[in-house]
């Protein structure tokens, strides 16, 4: 019902926020330390399941939800 919909929306928003933060941190590591995207993700211990999505966002220079 309504409660389940609100919970689902909240979880989606939290995931989107987490991904935006990760992208900003990855971009900062790349810009400031000269790391590659993969090396930045290694440093941050980002699991392989998330990397494809993050690589796509980085290559398209967009944030989740855009």
């Amino acid at each position: 019902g309504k409660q389940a919909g609100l919970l689902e929306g909240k979880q989606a928003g939290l995931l989107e926020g987490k991904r935006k933060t990760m992208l900003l941190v990855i971009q900062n590591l790349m810009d400031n330390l000269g790391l590659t995207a993969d090396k930045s993700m290694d440093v941050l211990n980002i699991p392989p399941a998330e990397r494809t999505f993050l690589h796509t966002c980085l290559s398209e220079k967009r944030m989740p939800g855009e």
Side-chain angles (χ1 to χ4, degrees):
K2 183 178 179 181
Q3 193 75 346
L6 290 173
L7 180 60
E8 186 177 317
K10 183 178 180 180
Q11 288 173 335
L14 288 172
L15 178 59
E16 185 176 317
K18 176 185 171 190
R19 286 178 165 170
K20 284 183 180 182
T21 300
M22 280 293 167
L23 285 167
L24 290 171
V25 171
I26 291 165
Q27 194 65 57
N28 284 337
L29 288 171
M30 292 169 64
D31 292 345
N32 296 325
L33 298 179
L35 300 178
T36 64
D38 283 319
K39 190 64 179 170
S40 298
M41 291 184 210
D42 289 344
V43 169
L44 297 168
N45 294 316
I46 295 175
E50 284 282 314
R51 292 183 183 216
T52 301
F53 174 80
L54 294 170
H55 273 293
T56 300
C57 290
L58 287 167
S59 67
E60 295 176 2
K61 300 250 190 248
R62 67 176 177 89
M63 288 291 171
E66 289 183 349

